[in-house]
Every structure is written in structure tokens, then in C-alpha cells.
Amino acid sequence: MALNADINFTSDLFDAANKLRGSVAPSEYKNFVLPLIFLRYLSLRYEKRREELLALVSDPNSDWYMEDPEMREEILSDEDQYRSERVYILPTKAHWSHIVSNAKQPTIKKILDDAMKQIEEANTELEGVLPRNIYQASNIPAEGISGLIEVFSRDVFGTTSSEAVDVLGATYIYFISEFASSEGQRGGEFFTPASIVKLLVAMLEPISGTLFDPACGSGGMFVQSEDYTPNKHSLSFHGQENVDMTLRLGKMNVLMHGINADIRLGNSLLDDQFIIKNEDGSFQPMQFDYVIANPPFNMKDWGAGRISKQDPRLIVEYDKAVNNSNANYMWTQHFLWHLAEGGTAGYVMANGAMTTNTSGEKEVRQKLIDDNFIDCIVQLPEKLFYGTGIPCCLFFLSKNRKGEKGFRERQNEILFIDARKKGTLVSRRQKALTIEEINEISSMYHAYKTGEGKYEDIQGFCRVSSIEEVRENDYKLTSGIYVGAEEVETDNVPFEERMGALITTLQEQFDESNRLQERIMHNLEGLL
């Protein structure tokens, strides 16, 4: 088969792996399956580099040629030859070939745990990435583990070509998405549906600079951003994640896509890992050119009491900035604090954030509007997220609305986009935005920001509204309020004429129905 990781192949692979799950919950099963894919990836990269070195030292026409077998082996064993190509060192008992040859052993779970430990010890940069002693502690039978090893030993992974490495990366992402889907609403805690990520990235246009995701989950925002930029490795990625195993899965994901991201463990709202302590004891944030995130929706009892009244993130008085029943606007203030001058933040919010009048929310929204930080609001269709029909929206905050960084001056106005009618059902319960829809929405935002091309309001879809108009609407940010109803094309035929034609057509259809009934009865009588 072609090494293109098409949807049928990855789907078949997931089905094969999932059949071995037994009684293990999907939320737990992913923690055993995804590290195996990563281990297969590490081994494949190591084998590929070893084959390249072997070809060089064996070719008489190569500057690397070594006739002495011992000298050849010395080159093949030189760790620097692997590290220089960003390939991790694999101890002998961590090679996939060793895992496969011992797959049927009753001790296979210990063998895997030992392999993970040895790899981390040989590569200090992988500290905190690979899981420790999870297989022996699991209730998955050894036969189930053996079956998984067999799944990831299929022929498509049996070559050391670059395509096979890419297949593994695509397989990892597909498995994450399928696990998220099977977990329903909880799956959104570690994975954002691809079409939402693609839209966020397309609107932000991260080409170079620093990018921050303080709720980074499995790292999908980083992978998509790296795919977007034409200049590979021109972006520097930083993120924070509150769940240890999710952080590990995210680090594996970005590494499989050639990304070195600084991802730190901790609760972003209560234990910010991206602050700098000054000599006088004060703090300042590390700031980034782009902030992108899908924070937990409507998070309750999140620990608001631990926020200091002097917290520098708060943009209004403490009592009006903090609400323990919903963390949406604490997240927003966190994003703004970490956004560098000239930067843009794009993030997902529950629709309620556009209109809430609750104390600790409305006042923050009002301040953001009055201080000219809100650049664009996109109202999205329902059913985009796994396991829930809750509709959501995108907020874009900007610190370049005065015309910085080559963008046009756009103070005192906000772009509203109503995309509720977009999206296509990809399953009975879920929608996704098409590439064409993503391009349509993002191009509107780009034209609005840059003044390049011709931006025009489109009734029912997009409109630039003044901040004064937003104030008149009680600071509500629902796109539908501003873009109006979609224009309906008419043919200007008078009602009386149109109604007469419809009645005539209906009568003709009734007459035809009667004729058909008579013919059917006549034919039935002929059978008696």
C-alpha cells in the first residue's frame, strides 16, 4: 500500500488496537497505546539513521568509507552521529526488534517499562516525557500488550523511509482524536477537533516568533502551527498543562512532528510557570507574539479564592474580575497578560462568554472592549466538539490595533463573523468545518486586519461594527446581533402571481396522483 496514512488505514489500525482494549476504559487505554506508538517512532528514527551511517561507511566512494569492520562499528555506535540529526539514543533492549522478539513473553509488560526507563536515562531531554511503570501496573493482560505490539509492527512501519516516519506521526494524531471522540465531552479536555485548530491557526497566521498555549493538552495547536508556517523551526513553542499524563502525551506528539516545545506542568491560573521574578520580589510575565488556546469551558470551583487581590493579571477591581463559578474571564485575563506588544491571541470560549452579565465576567468584557483589545469574534456552529452539542465561539484579542506590525489602524471597531450555518456533518453527532469554510472565514479576518484585498460587510455573515454600537447593545458580543439576517435571493415575482402558479402546480400533481391510483386499482383487479 502507499505510505500516506490515509483515513482508511489509520481507521483500520485504530479498530485493530481498540479490539484489544478489553475492559480498560478509553480514558486509560490511550495512556498505554500512545507511548507504544512513540516507542515505535523512536526506534524507526534510530534505525533510519543507523542505515544511513552504514551506507556511508560501506561505500568506497564516500568520504566516510571504512574498510575495517571495527572502525565501521565505532561510527555506527557513536552517539554524536545520532544526536547531530536530532535522533534519540536507543539502548539495545529498547529497540523495537527486541520488543517484538519478546512480545509473547509473560514478562512483556516489565520489558516495556524497562525500555521506557532506559530510553529516558540515555536521553536526559526526554525526562518527564516517557511514562514510568505503567504497563506492569495496568490490568491489561500480557496477550493484549502483545497484540498491540503486533499492530504497530505491520508492514507499513517495517521500512525506515521518511514516509513511514510520517505515517507514525499521522497515526498518533488520529489515535488521539479517536480516543477523544470515544471519551465524549471529556475528550475535549486534551484534544481540540482539527477543524477548530486549523481555523484558529489560519486566522492567527503564526509565521515566526513565539507562540504560547497555557492549556496545551496533547499539543495539537503546536503541530498545526508548525505545519502552517512556511519557514520550519521559525516558531518557538511554549505551553503549560495541568495533567501529568496529558503533558507526556503532548510532548510525545510534538517530538514526533519534529518540534521542541517548552511544555511545563502546572495549573496555569493558580501556578503560572511562565513568570519571571525580579530582584525586588515583583513578578512579570513571559510574553509571546501569539497566544492560542482551548481552555476548559465554564470551569467551576477552580480556586478563585487563591487569586491575590494584587494579582497583576486583573484588569478591573478584584471583586469584578474573579468569579469562582466560571473561570472563562480569568483565562481571558491570563491570555492578555502573556500577550506581547504587537501580538494577537485567539482562543475558544463557550457562547455564554459573549453575553454574560454575571459579576466577575461582564466587567472584564466591558473593560476589554473599552480598552480596544477585542479585535474579532467568530460565532461557530454547534456540534463541533466531541460528545456535546454546546456551541462555542472564538475570541481574538490584539495588541496591534493602533497599526503596529504592518496592520492597519482599527481602533474603535470590532469584526463580527457569524459562522453558525457553516460546517458539515462528519458523523451523526459531530460537524467539522471544511477547508473552504476555514479559508473563507480566515480571509475575511486577514482583509479586515491588513486592508489588503477588499473587505466588504456581508449581510448575515460578517460586519465591522463600532465600539459605540457594541456599547449600545450592552457590551454583548454575539455576532448575530451585528451581522443581521442573511439576505434571501428573490425573483421579484408578485405574491399573487407566485401563489396562483403554486396552486396550479399543486392541482396538476393532485390530478396525476388520482390517475396513478386508478391505474394501480385497475391492475390489482386484473389479478383477481
Side-chain angles (χ1 to χ4, degrees), residues 36 41 47 50 121 191 237 315 331 409 447:
L36 268 183
Y41 163 82
E47 293 162 13
R50 184 179 173 85
E121 289 174 346
F191 182 80
F237 297 100
I315 62 174
W331 279 109
E409 192 275 328

Side-chain angles (χ1 to χ4, degrees), residues 329 349-357 362 365-366 369 374 376-381 391-396 414-420 460-467 469-485:
Y329 274 97
M349 278 275 116
N351 273 0
M354 297 185 291
T355 58
T356 177
N357 287 321
K362 182 181 179 180
R365 185 175 77 245
Q366 181 173 329
I369 294 168
I374 294 186
C376 176
I377 299 291
V378 182
Q379 206 166 343
L380 296 174
C392 59
C393 58
L394 303 182
F395 274 55
F396 288 87
I414 298 171
L415 172 63
F416 291 95
I417 298 176
D418 188 347
R420 286 177 294 174
F461 177 57
C462 63
R463 180 168 174 259
V464 176
S465 299
S466 69
I467 286 181
E469 183 181 1
V470 175
R471 290 192 187 104
E472 291 171 0
N473 282 285
D474 196 27
Y475 290 92
K476 289 181 170 61
L477 294 174
T478 307
S479 295
I481 294 174
Y482 304 98
V483 304

Side-chain angles (χ1 to χ4, degrees), residues 151-399:
V151 167
F152 299 122
S153 299
R154 292 188 176 185
D155 290 344
V156 70
F157 303 128
T159 171
T160 55
S161 65
S162 296
E163 289 89 344
V165 174
D166 292 341
V167 167
L168 272 170
T171 298
Y172 191 95
I173 287 182
Y174 183 83
F175 271 50
I176 292 177
S177 69
E178 287 300 297
F179 281 126
S181 178
S182 63
E183 288 188 47
Q185 191 168 350
R186 280 190 60 196
E189 296 175 7
F190 64 88
F191 182 80
T192 306
S195 69
I196 297 178
V197 179
K198 289 178 180 178
L199 177 58
L200 269 173
V201 170
M203 294 183 73
L204 280 178
E205 293 185 290
I207 303 299
S208 62
T210 55
L211 184 144
F212 179 51
D213 182 353
C216 65
S218 55
M221 301 287 189
F222 299 148
V223 174
Q224 184 59 40
S225 297
E226 180 69 7
D227 285 346
Y228 182 86
T229 178
N231 307 312
K232 299 306 175 188
H233 308 303
S234 61
L235 284 167
S236 173
F237 297 100
H238 309 265
Q240 188 163 336
E241 170 54 43
N242 192 37
V243 179
D244 178 71
M245 192 62 204
T246 302
L247 176 140
R248 293 173 186 265
L249 297 179
K251 285 186 174 182
M252 292 180 213
N253 190 20
V254 297
L255 287 170
M256 288 182 71
H257 290 85
I259 299 169
N260 284 320
D262 175 15
I263 305 177
R264 305 178 187 180
L265 182 65
N267 183 315
S268 287
L269 299 184
L270 303 177
D271 184 23
D272 190 352
Q273 295 294 305
F274 288 88
I275 53 177
I276 301 168
K277 188 173 183 178
N278 300 317
E279 291 183 1
D280 61 2
S282 62
F283 294 93
Q284 68 183 68
M286 292 176 64
Q287 293 190 313
F288 307 90
D289 300 312
Y290 307 96
V291 177
I292 185 170
N294 171 30
F297 286 0
N298 304 325
M299 194 163 64
K300 298 179 181 179
D301 300 321
W302 55 274
R306 293 171 57 187
I307 300 294
S308 165
K309 291 187 177 182
Q310 288 74 44
D311 193 309
R313 294 174 294 182
L314 306 184
I315 62 174
V316 294
E317 297 156 20
Y318 177 85
D319 292 340
K320 297 178 180 179
V322 179
N323 178 358
N324 196 46
S325 64
N326 195 317
N328 287 345
Y329 274 97
M330 191 64 223
W331 279 109
T332 293
Q333 293 172 95
H334 186 76
F335 301 149
L336 185 66
W337 197 54
H338 280 289
L339 185 62
E341 291 301 318
T344 305
Y347 54 96
V348 188
M349 278 275 116
N351 273 0
M354 297 185 291
T355 58
T356 177
N357 287 321
T358 304
S359 180
E361 299 178 69
K362 182 181 179 180
E363 293 86 353
V364 176
R365 185 175 77 245
Q366 181 173 329
K367 181 71 171 174
L368 291 168
I369 294 168
D370 286 338
D371 286 359
N372 264 297
F373 286 120
I374 294 186
D375 202 31
C376 176
I377 299 291
V378 182
Q379 206 166 343
L380 296 174
E382 61 181 11
K383 296 183 178 180
L384 289 181
F385 271 89
Y386 299 112
T388 176
I390 296 175
C392 59
C393 58
L394 303 182
F395 274 55
F396 288 87
L397 308 180
S398 178
K399 290 186 178 179

Side-chain angles (χ1 to χ4, degrees), residues 90-162:
L90 253 65
T92 302
K93 291 187 177 181
H95 285 216
W96 191 256
S97 57
H98 178 77
I99 302 298
V100 171
S101 64
N102 288 277
K104 302 296 184 182
Q105 297 294 326
T107 57
I108 184 58
K109 295 203 284 187
K110 183 178 186 305
I111 290 171
L112 280 176
D113 283 332
D114 289 346
M116 299 286 182
K117 180 181 178 182
Q118 290 172 23
I119 292 172
E120 190 170 281
E121 289 174 346
N123 303 273
T124 55
E125 58 269 50
L126 288 179
E127 184 177 350
V129 176
L130 296 169
R132 288 294 189 95
N133 300 318
I134 62 167
Y135 294 101
Q136 292 177 88
S138 75
N139 61 353
I140 302 178
E143 295 77 12
I145 298 295
S146 300
L148 284 174
I149 293 169
E150 185 178 343
V151 167
F152 299 122
S153 299
R154 292 188 176 185
D155 290 344
V156 70
F157 303 128
T159 171
T160 55
S161 65
S162 296

